[in-house]
């Protein structure tokens, strides 16, 4: 089922056309653009939302006025036509969120009479009924009730569940590999515990009365977008299904040495609850308002959910949500940029997280998981956009998951899935932000690349090996650049110098249609100087996007590979055996890779498309655009090298050698 209406798709396409101008080679990312226009750096961001059509409609409406109106005027218009004004969208004075309580939460037909009522109002320019679409929590097992087990206190920390928190301190318990953990004790030893940093848990609510959370709860930064009130407490269900957010919150900020449950990665940081996941169908406006909520009070947004992990869905942020995310990274945290952490997905080997427009976005940090002996969990998705990994459940005993807080003052040891991985990363980033509160959203990504460790991580099936890119950085298709190392990240954050300004270069495109043979590959080439001599020149890479349109007799059998001029080969789309789409294909879909980080982009890029199928298939590669993101100046020149064997030393040496050529 396609989950967005044709009208909404038209709206997104119009937005993409309107905002295409900032991405030409003649414009750098500069501050003289209007904020939102500056934020929308490339047309692919909004084209994500243009690919959907559907047959579910909510009782929410996006209303655009002909001029700026104050909330009182908007309220009067809403009441005049039988609506309730839920407030402005992303702080706008011309766009508001209206709800009609007389309509069902989800219906199969658009309500033309209600839209007509709004459109005939002299103040209203357009009114768009919001489609409803599916968003699912990410977790390996159904959540279940557990009783608090009384455990003798343990030394440092003394919290009773700390011995079970192997992801914080792995001594080999429960069949794990000793020292395979987040190395948080090295960060704590530096006096860094997350003070003055707030992480928002965007989920099904947070039990903010939990004794292990209540003193670290930031009520001012919290909100319930499902019920539209300031109290994001989870809705009760007999099966405790809405314990997801509370479990994630405890991973970040559970208090230390209070005799309750375990301890959070950043146990002196604050958590905010944003309840937005608990309704039958998600809407674009709920997502957008959640991701744009209190951007100067919230530092990190943690999301352990996304499109359905069924191996056949291709889905991502709609128009308003993408605007909120991009506005967040450009304007949030008083201009330093909001940090969005995303769980990569639980679809396993049958799915590819590059088909999830949230996890694959360059604006988010996509986190995968490993289990306590170093192998990937069987539910882990793989893709080239994953930046790093943390941990989920145990190997020999799958019930040995992440020990954390649970609903109603309880504790659990069975939280798992990439749902558990993302909040751990958020906690590590909170530590880094306390160490250096001037870090930008890009600085956090650079620190992640430079300090994550290969450690003992390995692919249990032997499919994906560790590979070195053109400047000596090791990466893995499952684990990104490795497992987060809190101690190393905090140490480097303390002496970090903000990276140079980022530019994007439209490096070239191929718009001729090329057939994809059934048994052979089609290889396309783009040779680029990376906008040399222009004000968008890129010499040192960060993210690379291959924006692709294609159709196939069976979409799931297509594999795509992107090879950089330095020879790094990224699988940007793997086979998805459950995806039997033969109609939609991919339309301007931005496949992203981080594997070429810090490489030099000048030269010839190769795109290879082929079928991985025993049954003959046919397809057409209709369009490919290459977009390079990175800096003109070398990013690490001002950083002193303390360890000659560190990633920083390796990359700096490569860059210095290049500059002498």
């Amino acid at each position: 089922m396609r989950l967005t209406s044709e009208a909404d798709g038209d709206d997104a396409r119009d937005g993409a056309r309107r905002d295409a101008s900032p991405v030409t080679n003649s414009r750098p990312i500069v501050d003289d653009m209007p904020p939102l226009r500056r934020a929308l750096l490339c047309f692919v961001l909004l084209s994500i939302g243009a690919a959907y059509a559907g047959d579910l409609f909510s009782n929410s409406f996006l209303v655009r006025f002909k001029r700026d109106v104050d909330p009182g005027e908007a309220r009067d218009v809403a009441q005049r036509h039988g609506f309730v004004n839920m407030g402005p969208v992303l702080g706008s004075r011309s766009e508001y969120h209206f709800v009609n309580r007389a309509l069902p939460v989800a219906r199969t037909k658009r309500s033309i009479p209600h839209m007509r009522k709004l459109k005939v109002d002299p103040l209203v320019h357009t009114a768009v009924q919001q489609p409803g679409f599916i968003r699912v929590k990410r977790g390996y097992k159904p959540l279940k009730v557990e009783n608090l087990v009384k455990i003798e206190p343990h030394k440092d920390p003394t919290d009773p569940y700390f011995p079970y928190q192997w992801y914080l301190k792995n001594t080999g318990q429960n069949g794990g590999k000793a020292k395979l953990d987040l190395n948080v004790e090295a960060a704590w030893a530096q006096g860094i515990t997350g003070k003055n940093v707030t992480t928002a848990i965007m989920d099904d609510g947070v039990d903010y009365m939990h004794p292990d959370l209540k003193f670290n709860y930031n009520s001012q930064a919290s909100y319930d977008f499902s019920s539209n009130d300031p109290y994001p407490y989870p809705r009760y269900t007999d099966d405790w299904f809405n314990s997801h957010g509370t479990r994630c919150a405890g991973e970040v900020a559970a208090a230390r040495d209070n005799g309750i449950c375990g301890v959070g990665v950043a146990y002196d940081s604050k958590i905010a609850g944003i309840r937005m996941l608990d309704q039958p169908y998600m809407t674009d406006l709920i997502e957008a308002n959640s991701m744009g909520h209190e951007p100067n009070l919230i530092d990190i947004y943690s999301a352990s959910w996304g499109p359905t992990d069924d191996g056949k869905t291709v889905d991502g942020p709609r128009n308003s949500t993408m605007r909120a995310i991009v506005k967040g990274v450009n304007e949030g945290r008083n201009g330093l940029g909001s940090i969005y952490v995303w769980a990569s997905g639980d679809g396993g080997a049958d799915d590819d997280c590059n088909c999830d427009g949230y996890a694959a976005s360059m604006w988010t940090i996509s986190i995968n998981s490993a289990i306590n002996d170093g192998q990937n969990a069987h539910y882990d998705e793989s893709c080239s956009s994953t930046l790093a990994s943390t941990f989920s459940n145990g190997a020999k005993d799958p019930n040995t998951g992440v020990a954390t807080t649970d609903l109603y003052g309880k504790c659990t040891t069975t939280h798992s899935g990439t749902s558990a991985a993302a909040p751990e990363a958020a906690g590590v980033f909170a530590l880094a932000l306390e160490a250096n509160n001037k870090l930008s959203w890009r600085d956090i990504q650079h620190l992640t690349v430079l300090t994550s460790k290969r450690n003992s991580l390995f692919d249990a099936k032997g499919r994906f090996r560790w590979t070195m890119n053109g400047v000596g950085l090791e990466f893995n298709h499952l684990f990104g650049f490795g497992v987060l190392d809190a101690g190393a990240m905090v140490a480097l954050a303390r002496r970090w110098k903000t990276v140079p300004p980022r530019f994007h270069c439209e490096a070239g495109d191929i718009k001729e249609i090329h057939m994809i043979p059934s048994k052979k590959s089609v290889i396309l080439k783009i040779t680029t100087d990376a906008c040399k001599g222009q004000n968008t020149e890129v010499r040192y890479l960060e993210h690379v996007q291959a924006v692709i349109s294609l159709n196939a007799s069976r979409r799931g059998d297509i594999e795509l590979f992107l090879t950089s001029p330095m020879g790094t080969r990224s699988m940007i789309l793997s086979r998805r055996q459950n995806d039997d789409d033969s109609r939609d294909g991919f339309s301007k879909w931005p496949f992203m890779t981080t594997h070429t980080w810090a490489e030099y982009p000048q030269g010839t890029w190769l795109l290879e498309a082929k079928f991985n199928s025993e049954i003959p298939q046919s397809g057409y590669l209709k369009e490919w655009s290459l977009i390079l993101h990175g800096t003109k100046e070398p990013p690490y020149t001002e950083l002193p090298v303390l360890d000659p064997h560190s990633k920083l030393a390796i990359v700096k040496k490569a860059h210095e050698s290049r500059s002498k050529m």
Side-chain angles (χ1 to χ4, degrees), residues 32 53 156 160 191 289 305 309 378 381 472 543:
D32 59 352
D156 192 25
N289 283 322
W305 50 269
D309 291 323
H378 71 82
E381 294 183 32
H543 310 87

Side-chain angles (χ1 to χ4, degrees), residues 260-279:
I260 304 167
C261 298
V263 62
V265 173
Y267 55 78
D268 279 331
S269 68
K270 300 293 185 182
I271 50 106
I274 295 182
R275 181 169 174 259
M276 44 80 72
L277 205 56
D278 185 27
Q279 59 271 325

